[in-house]
Amino acid sequence: MEAGAEEAIVPALWSQDTFIEKTGGSEIIGQMWAFADKKGRPCCLIPEATALFQEKSKELLGQRRERMLFYTARCYRYERPQAGRYREFVQLGLEYLSPDPVRALRICQDICTGFLDSLGLRYEIDDAAQRGLSYYLNGQGFEIRCAELGAQQQVVGGGAYKEGAGFGIGAERLLLALATQGI
């Protein structure tokens, strides 16, 4: 990746506790595919990936001050299927672990919009979106929307958090937006 990010492999199965703690009160909790493993531990299929990077930030940073990671993850949410959003979906994401979340957010937004611009996608950015995830600073983040998608316009969601900043792109929704715009 031109921005200097390293690839991270994201597991599909994780402890429920991470998402309960990190997404606090979000509708994601009710949408998790949750179950107990063979030892009775509460597990789930991951509903999103940012919480994993936050939880493992010290380990991922090691002796580094900052680190940029990109990933492609299959995510799962037990919700009503919508246009470009399914119970199993692919999230393309970037997480910039940094002690300066505001700077990390600016860099993440520049990378994200640069990527979408390179595809020729027309979009609107809301950089004051209420994300509904408690890990975002002040509950606020950003969303990128494509008006042609109607009621399900969001293609990207992200924001700054204590350990850095990041964003996730819904691959299926992005492909739908590109097709709808004739790209």
Side-chain angles (χ1 to χ4, degrees), residues 2 18 31 60 64 77 83 85 88 93 109-110 117 121 131 133 138-139 142 144 151 156 169-170 177 182:
E2 196 173 311
T18 297
Q31 298 170 350
L60 290 166
R64 302 177 195 189
R77 293 190 189 164
R85 179 64 166 263
E88 177 181 8
Q109 284 181 321
D110 288 347
D117 291 345
L121 187 71
R131 297 285 300 137
L133 297 165
N138 302 316
F142 73 94
I144 293 180
V156 179
I169 300 171

Side-chain angles (χ1 to χ4, degrees), residues 5 18 25 40 45 48 51 77-78 96 98 101 103-104 113 121 125 153 168 170 175 178-179 181:
T18 297
L45 296 173
E48 58 93 27
R77 293 190 189 164
Y78 192 83
Y96 187 5
S98 168
R103 179 177 163 273
T113 56
L121 187 71
I125 186 166
Q153 297 180 6
L175 291 173
L178 291 167
Q181 290 182 12

